[in-house]
Amino acid sequence: MTKSRVIEIEPLTRVEGHGKVTVHLDAQNRVSEARLHIVEFRGFERFIQGRLFWEVPVIVQRLCGICPVSHHLAAAKAMDKIVGVDILPPTAEKMRRLMHYGQILQSHVLHFFHLSSPDLLFGFDAEPERRNIFEVIRKHPELAKQAILLRKFGQEVIEATSGKKIHGTSAIPGGINKNLSLAERDHLLANHGQFLEWCRAAVTLAKSYVIEHQHLVKRFAHFPSNHMSLIREDGALDLYHGKLRATDAAGQIIFDQVDTDHFNDYLMEEVKPWSYMKFPFIKRLGNVDGWYRVGPLSRLNNAAFLDTPLARDAHLEFRELTQGSPNHSSLNYHYARMIEVLHCCEKVHELLLDPDLQGSDLRSSGTRREEGIAVIEAPRGSLIHHYRVNENDQVTFCNLIVSTTHNNTAMNRAVTDVAQRYLDGQPDITEAMLNHIEVAVRAYDPCLSCATHALGQMPLQVELVDADGTCIQRKSQYIDEDTYGL
Amino acid sequence: MSETLASTFTIQVDGQTVTVQAGQSIMEACDAAGIYIPRLCDCEGLVPQGSCRVCCVDINGRIQAACTQPAAPGQVIGNETPTLNAHRRTLVEMLFHEGNHLCPICEASGRCELQAMAYRLGITQASPYPYLQPVRPVDASHPDIALDNNRCILCGRCIRASRDIDQKHVFDYVGRGIHKRIGVSAARLAETDASLEDEAIARGTCPVGCILRKREGFDTPVGQRLFDRRPIDLDNAVQHHIPTQAVPAHIESDPP
Ligand code: SF4
Ligand code: SF4
C-alpha cells in the first residue's frame, strides 16, 4: 500500500481524564507525526463569568477530582490580589502551604504507585491484564500498602487544612477560614516517621529503576527542551509561591525572577485547529522553539537546591545523573516526582511543628484591585490563574493555563518520538506498541479534563490516519471496537 | 371555670399530649412543647404565611399547614408520618427542580435550610423529573449585598422581614405561576434602600443562598457550619429568630 495512514489510540488508560492520540503515517508507512487530541470542551472560563469573586476558589476546584487543591489555592492566591493582600498572616500562608504539600504528596503517590508502577514493575510490554494496580497489590503487597497509607496521609493533611478530603473551602480571599487544632496536629504527627521512611524508600525505588533501565530511559521519549517553574528568590524549589524561571536545554537562563503578574509579557498561547488544548510558548523564542516543559522534572532542573535535608541530598543525586546539566528524559519525571514526595513529607513535618499553625490571625484585607494573577506549582507543573473582577465583585474575565497545557507540545513530542521508534514501518499495531505511547503520555501525568477546563471527563482513543486525512484504523487500548461492536 | 383553665387546652401530636395556650398555632404549640414540625417559609418573629407547605400536618384526617392553622381543642395530629414525609420530600424535591442548586459551590451549603431539609427527608439523589435549571442573572449591584435568584425558593421571608420589621418593603413577589420570582423595589438592588443592618438581609432570614452578604462567603469552616453537627431540628431551625421586640405591635398575633 502506498497511501499514508493514521493510527488512533483510545482510551488512554491511567491518565487523569481522557483524550485521543492520532498517529499520522506518510505514503511509505513511516510515522510523520503523532498528536494528542483533546476532544471535549465545556468552557469553564465562560461559566465563571458573572460569579462573585469569593466563590471562585470553591468553584474552580471542581475542574478536577485529582488536584482540586491546586486550583483552590491558585484561585485563592489570585483573589488575595483582588482584595489587595500581598502578604497573608503567617497562619494563613502556612495552612495553605501545608494543604498544598499534602496535596502534592497524595497526587504524586497516586500517580506513581497506582497509575505508573504497573508499567515500571511489569514492563511496558507486559500483557494488559497484568499491567494494573490490582496486580501490583497481588505481587507487591507491601508496596501497595505503603502507597495506600501515604496517599491517605496526604488526604488527611488536606482534610485538616481545607475542611474536607476533597473540595474543601478553607482558602478565602485574603486568608484562610481555619487554623490547625492541636488534636489535628497530633493526629498528623502520629505516624510521620513511618511515612518519611516510606518516602525515602520510594525515592530509592524510582532511582534504581532509572539506573537499571538506563538504556531505555535515555532512549524513551528523551528530547531536549526548555523548562519552566516557579523559583524562590534564593533559587530553592518553592511549590507554593515564587517568581518564574525558564531555562533552555543547556540549562542557561531564558528568564528569571519574573514577577508572576507579568507572565503575559513572557508567555503566549497558540491555538491549533485539531486540539482544544492551547500550545503555550516563550514569547521571545517564538512558537517553534519557545515550547517548554513544566512539572517535577523541570522544577528539579531549575531549582538550585531543595530546602529540606533528605530531599536536598536526593536532588543532588538526581543532578549527578546528568552531571549537573538538565535532565531531559520523560521517564525521569517519575524519579523527580518521588523526590518531591520526600520533600513534601519533610515540609509537612516542618509545618506541623510550627506553632504559627495554631494562630488566630487568619485573614487580611487591603485596597481592592481589578486584576488578580497567581501561579502555583501544581503536582503536574505551573498552574496560572488570571482573573478580572468588576466593581460589583463579579468575575468578568478568566484565563487558566494548567500544567498539562504547558506540557502540550512536550507530550506531542513524546508521542511522536515513541511512535517513530516503535510503530514505524511495522505492518501491524500491537498492544505493546500502543502501550509505549501511553507510557510516554503518562510520564507527564496529564490531567486532560483540567487542560480543556471541562467540568466532566472525556474518552480517549488512538487513530491511524493516512496522507489524505482518512482514518484507516482505530484502536482502543483495552476495548476492542470490533469485539464490543462500538 | 377559672381564667387559666379556659386559656389552655390539649391536643394530640403523634400520640403525645401537648398543652396549648389559646391563640397559638399548631406550629407554636408544638415548638413550645419541643416537637419539631419541618418548615421552610416559617421563621420565628415573622407572620406565618403557609406557602411552602412543608409544615403540613394531618389534623383529624385533613392535611393543613401547621404554621397558619390555629390549634383547637381535641385535635388529633399526625406529624412525623410516612405519608406526610413522602409529601414533604416531593415538595422539597420540586424546589430543587425549580431553581438552580449547585450545593458544592454554594456559600450557603452547610447552613442552608433547603439542603438540610433535603438531608432530613432522605433526598440523596436526583429525582427522575427534568430540572428547569433556570439561568437568572445575579444582581450584584449593591455594594454589600448580592442576590442570586437561581437559588430562591420563594419563601417570602425577606418580603415579610423587610416590610414588617425593617419597614422598607425592599422585596416582593413579581410574576405568576412558574414565572413568579422575587423582585426588588427598584430596577436593581443598588437603587433600593436595602442595607446590611436590615433584618431581611441578616444571615438566616433567607433560608438559602439567594440573599448574600457580600465577601462573607465561606468564612465558616466545614464542620462548624450550622447543620454540619446535626440535622435540621427544632433547636437549629429556630436558631434564626427575629427578636419579638423588633416586631411592631400590629403584626403580633391577637388572642382570639
Ligand atoms: S441554596 Fe441551599 S440548596 Fe440551593 S445550592 Fe445553596 S446550599 Fe444548595
Ligand atoms: S430571596 Fe430568600 S428569603 Fe426571599 S423569598 Fe427567596 S429564598 Fe425566601
Side-chain angles (χ1 to χ4, degrees):
Chain A
M1 119 166 217
T2 53
K3 278 182 76 178
S4 54
R5 307 184 293 158
V6 174
I7 304 172
E8 273 196 357
I9 305 184
E10 88 141 349
L12 260 178
T13 53
R14 289 179 280 135
V15 296
E16 313 291 356
H18 304 271
K20 176 174 91 171
V21 169
T22 55
V23 182
H24 298 251
L25 304 181
D26 63 16
Q28 281 72 46
N29 256 2
R30 306 204 64 85
V31 173
S32 58
E33 189 189 5
R35 293 171 176 172
L36 176 64
H37 298 250
I38 307 301
V39 291
E40 197 181 286
F41 182 66
R42 288 218 262 151
F44 187 82
E45 280 111 329
R46 286 191 69 85
F47 174 82
I48 200 89
Q49 286 190 22
R51 293 313 314 180
L52 302 158
F53 74 79
W54 55 92
E55 297 177 336
V56 175
V58 174
I59 295 178
V60 80
Q61 61 180 338
R62 295 275 158 183
L63 274 173
C64 181
I66 300 295
C67 67
V69 168
S70 312
H71 286 293
H72 183 53
L73 292 177
K77 281 176 62 173
M79 295 312 153
D80 294 342
K81 299 267 181 64
I82 295 290
V83 298
V85 173
D86 292 318
I87 296 171
L88 295 180
T91 307
E93 169 158 344
K94 287 176 182 175
M95 282 294 282
R96 289 192 192 177
R97 279 185 178 270
L98 182 56
M99 192 194 313
H100 192 48
Y101 296 127
Q103 154 72 4
I104 294 193
L105 190 142
Q106 74 88 21
S107 171
H108 278 0
V109 166
L110 171 84
H111 179 266
F112 185 70
F113 290 101
H114 297 63
L115 307 179
S116 296
S117 75
D119 299 328
L120 308 182
L121 292 170
F122 307 127
F124 308 168
D125 297 329
E127 320 81 81
E129 312 78 70
R130 288 186 58 215
R131 271 193 337 256
N132 59 53
I133 183 65
F134 302 108
E135 189 69 7
V136 177
I137 294 171
R138 225 163 57 80
K139 285 277 163 57
H140 304 271
E142 183 54 27
L143 191 66
K145 186 189 97 185
Q146 292 176 7
I148 289 164
L149 292 179
L150 266 177
R151 179 145 191 254
K152 182 159 170 268
F153 175 61
Q155 287 171 324
E156 281 172 354
V157 171
I158 296 172
E159 185 176 23
T161 46
S162 79
K164 283 162 82 182
K165 277 205 177 77
I166 190 161
H167 299 141
T169 60
S170 69
I172 50 179
I176 194 98
N177 70 16
K178 78 184 288 281
N179 65 7
L180 194 74
S181 72
L182 289 172
E184 287 167 327
R185 183 198 69 182
D186 294 343
H187 172 73
L188 294 174
L189 277 173
N191 292 315
H192 191 271
Q194 177 71 81
F195 295 134
L196 199 63
E197 267 322 299
W198 291 346
C199 292
R200 290 179 85 165
V203 173
T204 309
L205 179 71
K207 186 184 176 192
S208 48
Y209 179 85
V210 298
I211 288 175
E212 281 162 29
H213 297 80
Q214 259 187 60
H215 187 60
L216 176 68
V217 169
K218 284 193 178 134
R219 187 164 51 97
F220 185 86
H222 185 292
F223 43 83
S225 75
N226 306 311
H227 293 276
M228 188 184 80
S229 67
L230 282 182
I231 206 82
R232 206 166 72 182
E233 236 159 82
D234 59 0
L237 172 76
D238 194 333
L239 297 165
Y240 175 77
H241 197 64
K243 303 255 165 82
L244 288 168
R245 169 180 286 180
T247 52
D248 66 15
Q252 299 301 310
I253 295 288
I254 302 170
F255 56 72
D256 199 11
Q257 298 299 336
V258 167
D259 189 325
T260 52
D261 281 353
H262 305 304
F263 85 92
N264 260 333
D265 299 338
Y266 295 83
L267 301 178
M268 276 186 89
E269 288 183 284
E270 189 187 8
V271 178
K272 295 191 181 176
W274 50 268
S275 179
Y276 277 115
M277 198 152 76
K278 292 174 184 169
F279 290 79
F281 59 91
I282 295 166
K283 232 181 203 177
R284 184 155 71 72
L285 302 180
N287 63 350
V288 177
D289 299 324
W291 65 279
Y292 52 90
R293 287 190 266 188
V294 298
L297 187 74
S298 306
R299 292 193 285 248
L300 294 202
N301 278 336
N302 278 350
F305 66 98
L306 269 56
D307 67 346
T308 54
L310 298 175
R312 182 197 301 260
D313 293 347
H315 178 239
L316 288 175
E317 288 178 23
F318 173 85
R319 298 307 304 260
E320 272 165 28
L321 270 188
T322 50
Q323 292 81 44
S325 51
N327 191 323
H328 293 303
S329 146
S330 297
L331 284 176
N332 264 314
Y333 266 92
H334 297 299
Y335 180 17
R337 209 167 269 130
M338 289 307 100
I339 295 173
E340 289 191 342
V341 162
L342 180 61
H343 174 67
C344 289
C345 196
E346 290 183 285
K347 278 287 188 191
V348 165
H349 192 240
E350 196 179 292
L351 283 165
L352 287 175
L353 298 178
D354 189 331
D356 274 352
L357 285 177
Q358 281 77 48
S360 54
D361 181 12
L362 301 182
R363 195 172 191 175
S364 297
S365 58
T367 311
R368 264 295 289 280
R369 300 183 183 127
E370 279 172 20
E371 192 167 44
I373 295 175
V375 183
I376 196 165
E377 285 295 329
R380 291 152 185 82
S382 315
L383 169 63
I384 302 178
H385 278 215
H386 182 189
Y387 303 93
R388 277 195 277 277
V389 175
N390 68 15
E391 69 285 2
N392 289 339
D393 299 335
Q394 291 173 289
V395 175
T396 56
F397 167 87
C398 162
N399 185 31
L400 311 178
I401 310 180
V402 306
S403 332
T404 300
T405 305
H406 294 291
N407 277 334
N408 199 358
T409 305
M411 286 189 295
N412 280 282
R413 286 283 166 130
V415 169
T416 303
D417 188 73
V418 171
Q420 280 170 347
R421 207 176 294 275
Y422 296 92
L423 299 182
D424 225 15
Q426 301 284 333
D428 225 346
I429 306 161
T430 64
E431 290 276 341
M433 284 168 165
L434 293 182
N435 198 45
H436 276 76
I437 290 192
E438 288 197 16
V439 171
V441 174
R442 198 142 57 228
Y444 294 85
D445 191 9
C447 184
L448 303 179
S449 51
C450 279
T452 49
H453 314 169
L455 296 169
Q457 297 218 312
M458 301 160 277
L460 192 116
Q461 60 185 12
V462 174
E463 283 181 1
L464 194 61
V465 181
D466 66 18
D468 303 335
T470 317
C471 173
I472 48 166
Q473 196 177 352
R474 181 173 290 140
K475 202 154 162 84
S476 316
Q477 189 59 312
Y478 299 131
I479 304 165
D480 185 330
E481 294 191 353
D482 296 335
T483 320
Y484 292 95
L486 295 172
Chain B
M1 229 185 252
S2 78
E3 187 65 28
T4 327
L5 282 177
S7 60
T8 65
F9 54 87
T10 62
I11 55 173
Q12 296 288 315
V13 180
D14 287 342
Q16 191 181 328
T17 303
V18 171
T19 303
V20 179
Q21 307 294 321
Q24 280 182 321
S25 66
I26 293 172
M27 179 86 93
E28 285 165 337
C30 286
D31 277 0
I35 297 172
Y36 176 61
I37 300 173
R39 71 203 71 177
L40 284 175
C41 75
D42 196 45
C43 177
E44 203 175 298
L46 296 179
V47 231
Q49 72 173 29
S51 64
C52 75
R53 314 311 284 175
V54 171
C55 73
C56 275
V57 290
D58 182 319
I59 308 167
N60 301 338
R62 288 190 63 190
I63 293 184
Q64 283 174 305
C67 69
T68 46
Q69 193 62 28
Q75 283 172 335
V76 177
I77 292 170
N79 172 34
E80 287 287 351
T81 72
T83 315
L84 283 170
N85 279 333
H87 288 323
R88 289 170 182 153
R89 196 150 43 238
T90 308
L91 285 167
V92 170
E93 270 175 357
M94 289 307 124
L95 293 173
F96 280 95
H97 283 267
E98 281 173 17
N100 205 345
H101 295 274
L102 296 165
C103 298
I105 59 168
C106 175
E107 64 184 78
S109 210
R111 64 168 163 84
C112 167
E113 293 179 34
L114 177 65
Q115 185 190 52
M117 193 59 70
Y119 281 129
R120 181 185 172 93
L121 296 171
I123 301 173
T124 51
Q125 59 183 50
S127 77
Y129 308 111
Y131 285 80
L132 291 182
Q133 293 188 314
V135 181
R136 306 180 184 127
V138 172
D139 182 348
S141 58
H142 193 286
D144 305 316
I145 308 158
L147 280 185
D148 186 345
N149 249 308
N150 297 291
R151 304 172 184 146
C152 175
I153 57 168
L154 299 172
C155 68
R157 279 157 57 160
C158 57
I159 303 177
R160 287 171 279 159
S162 180
R163 180 193 63 204
D164 300 336
I165 313 230
D166 307 328
Q167 317 256 322
K168 287 186 176 177
H169 209 139
V170 169
F171 300 98
D172 212 335
Y173 293 121
V174 294
R176 290 178 161 275
I178 200 70
H179 302 295
K180 185 164 165 177
R181 58 183 179 80
I182 284 292
V184 297
S185 59
R188 303 176 312 152
L189 196 61
E191 288 147 30
T192 68
D193 51 359
S195 85
L196 281 182
E197 289 67 47
D198 293 355
E199 202 55 56
I201 309 301
R203 202 184 258 199
T205 295
C206 176
V208 293
C210 176
I211 298 178
L212 303 172
R213 298 169 69 89
K214 278 187 169 183
R215 300 172 292 276
E216 290 182 9
F218 305 103
D219 60 358
T220 311
V222 175
Q224 293 176 30
R225 302 168 307 184
L226 185 56
F227 299 120
D228 279 338
R229 288 165 194 279
R230 49 195 284 191
I232 190 166
D233 60 15
L234 192 57
D235 285 345
N236 52 25
V238 295
Q239 165 144 348
H240 180 74
H241 61 93
I242 290 160
T244 19
Q245 62 270 27
V247 184
H250 71 272
I251 68 152
E252 279 192 278
S253 39
D254 301 316

